[in-house]
Amino acid sequence: QVQLVESGGGLVQAGGSLRLSCAASRSIISINYMRWYRQAPGKQRELVATMTSGGSTNYADSVKGRFTISRDNAKNTVYLQMNSLKPEDTAVYYCNANTVLQIYWGQGTQVTVSS
């Protein structure tokens, strides 16, 4: 059982930065994949960033060079650092944890980038 609690969403101007946090209810050291997704109104849910338990990362082409996924094992928390934000980044962002047995989702947090 893993509960995910997100924070850090909000309103930011284009070109600004925002850091999303996803706090897990237990250790994330052995969780196979931690991921961030986003979904804009009327669009498909999009995989934004992935981090494996070994520390490998991968990003959607639309955010490469601007977003960074990271983790703090001591705090049981993963982060999504978002820089050079664009209006098209506006979406609900979801934290996702993929274990051997189950997949868990956070509640989603709204990110709005104004132009």
Side-chain angles (χ1 to χ4, degrees):
Q1 183 80 277
V2 181
Q3 292 181 329
L4 305 173
V5 180
E6 298 161 316
S7 61
L11 176 64
V12 65
Q13 292 186 337
S17 298
L18 205 61
R19 187 175 75 161
L20 305 183
S21 299
C22 176
S25 59
R26 68 165 177 83
S27 174
I28 62 171
I29 294 174
S30 61
I31 294 179
N32 301 68
Y33 299 94
M34 297 296 302
R35 294 186 172 100
W36 287 95
Y37 289 79
R38 68 185 182 187
Q39 187 167 23
K43 297 183 179 179
Q44 295 272 82
R45 186 168 296 188
E46 175 189 19
L47 176 61
V48 175
T50 299
M51 184 176 64
T52 71
S53 59
S56 298
T57 59
N58 204 357
Y59 300 91
D61 288 342
S62 58
V63 306
K64 281 183 178 177
R66 300 189 298 120
F67 289 12
T68 303
I69 187 171
S70 62
R71 71 184 177 201
D72 186 335
N73 289 334
K75 296 181 178 179
N76 298 334
T77 300
V78 296
Y79 303 95
L80 185 67
Q81 178 66 47
M82 304 183 293
N83 298 325
S84 301
L85 283 163
K86 305 173 181 179
E88 50 263 45
D89 295 319
T90 295
V92 178
Y93 284 72
Y94 298 90
C95 182
N96 168 277
N98 190 344
T99 70
V100 172
L101 297 178
Q102 287 186 265
I103 299 173
Y104 302 91
W105 290 91
Q107 79 285 353
T109 185
Q110 177 70 48
V111 172
T112 302
V113 184
S114 62
S115 59

